[in-house]
Amino acid sequence: MNAVEQAYRRQWARLLALLTAELRDLDLAEEALQDAFTAAVSAWPPVPDNPPAWLLTTARRRAVDRLRRAEVAARKLPLLIVEEGPAPPDHRLRLIFTCCHPALSMEARVALTLRCVGGLTTRQIARMFLVSETTMAARLTRAKKKISHAGIPYRVPSEAELAERRDGVLAVIYLIFTEGYAATEGERLIRDEPAAEAIALARMLAELMPADTEVRALLALMLLHHARRDARVDADGRLVRLPDQDRSRWRQDEIAEGLTVLTPGPLGPYLLQAAIAAEHAAAARPQDTDWTEIAELYELLELLTGSAVVRLNRAVAVAEAYGPERGLDLLAGLDDALPRHHLLPATRADLLTRLGRMEEAVAEYGRALDLVGTTPEREFLRSRRATAQEALGR
């Protein structure tokens, strides 16, 4: 990685946040900073003694040029007069909360966070979410206009609203991770880019909010899940179920980091999910998994969230701890809440198979196949249905 690329990865969010604080204009700040990095490509080497300071000074000059051309310099140029003194404050937390403001749609929040905080290009974000670059560029433009026209404040929320707004930020980061950890469509089940970006964002947020146990729990949860990525598909890209995974391929350094990051605190959704992931990570063999503890953690999580997806996962844990009949009972009534969720009929089919109710299992596998979005999962479900059909003598 050359010096410009290294500076881009390490300094983009910090410098953009600082420029936005000075200019009070996210769009102008982004354009000026991009100009500065473009200038660095031809100006380096030699690499300056203080690359961030060089980039910031260059970006400020480019902003002045843009403002002059727009004939609004008289109003905004004073904002760029920065006296020499201590290191500038870190405004990245303001930037994160601005990008994740609830007035923006979720897709806009995701795109802006990846662009402004993560430093990804429009093309990278478009590829990540399987849309055209033109579509993503329009999405980003609309989001920035919404911030400007709606007067969304560039600030960290007050203490009274911090918890609610923080949860929205965490939801954005976890949505980005989920798109990488378990893609909703396409040829690949796992896509490293979104998952890695989400973890980087969570690391930044944990650095900025070190005492927040839910922030740390989200980082731990993603690290513990992502550590299993090499074992979740085989050499041919086929899905490998958790009990069948080669645990020697789990990345122990990431598991160790996740367990270190996870700290006790008030029960929250990410803390409970991270505790569940930690139970899986601690089991050297599938039979060492404490399914009773996991079932109890899912019960607490369901009480806290009321989520139908949590009930589905709880049913799996209960089936492992107490038998498939108990798990099947917990799936009753979930069809209305999860009408398009392929894992509901897939889970029901698995439990029916374990109970020897093959006719019903085949039908449920068919329903799951009608809903599934990724090729590896589709092939897995076809294989399971074929096995159930063989048991029926078809």
Side-chain angles (χ1 to χ4, degrees), residues 221 224 259 262 264-282 289-307 309-318 321-322 330:
L221 171 64
L224 293 169
L259 295 176
L262 187 60
L267 287 185
Y270 295 110
L271 188 60
L272 287 167
Q273 289 177 80
I276 292 166
E279 289 290 341
H280 285 298
T289 305
D290 190 343
W291 284 107
T292 302
E293 176 67 16
I294 291 172
E296 291 174 357
L297 288 168
Y298 269 124
E299 184 175 10
L300 288 172
L301 186 60
E302 185 183 355
L303 288 171
L304 186 66
T305 65
S307 166
V309 174
V310 172
R311 168 68 72 90
L312 174 59
N313 286 304
R314 179 186 164 201
V316 173
V318 166
Y322 304 108
L330 283 173

Side-chain angles (χ1 to χ4, degrees), residues 204-281:
M204 182 188 298
L205 196 60
E207 173 192 336
L208 297 169
M209 302 175 70
D212 193 310
T213 55
E214 274 290 270
V215 171
R216 295 171 65 86
L218 175 60
L219 175 57
L221 171 64
M222 295 190 296
L223 285 166
L224 293 169
H225 279 327
H226 200 48
R228 302 202 305 261
R229 60 191 175 279
D230 295 335
R232 292 180 58 224
V233 293
D234 65 17
D236 297 317
R238 292 189 295 259
L239 175 67
V240 180
R241 297 170 66 239
L242 180 60
D244 303 322
Q245 289 175 13
D246 178 359
R247 299 187 179 213
S248 69
R249 301 187 67 199
W250 291 4
R251 302 200 182 194
Q252 294 302 319
D253 57 332
E254 294 177 11
I255 290 174
E257 182 185 355
L259 295 176
T260 301
V261 167
L262 187 60
T263 52
L267 287 185
Y270 295 110
L271 188 60
L272 287 167
Q273 289 177 80
I276 292 166
E279 289 290 341
H280 285 298

Side-chain angles (χ1 to χ4, degrees), residues 62-112:
R62 296 305 172 96
V64 169
D65 292 341
R66 286 178 177 273
L67 288 168
R68 281 176 176 151
R69 287 197 298 269
E71 297 182 352
V72 292
R75 178 165 54 88
K76 289 196 173 182
L77 279 178
L79 293 172
L80 293 176
I81 300 172
V82 180
E83 297 179 359
E84 294 295 328
D90 192 332
H91 292 284
R92 287 177 297 170
L93 201 56
R94 291 184 181 186
L95 184 62
I96 292 170
F97 277 99
T98 299
C99 291
C100 295
H101 196 280
L104 300 172
S105 69
M106 182 57 80
E107 67 176 21
R109 291 182 230 174
V110 168
L112 265 185

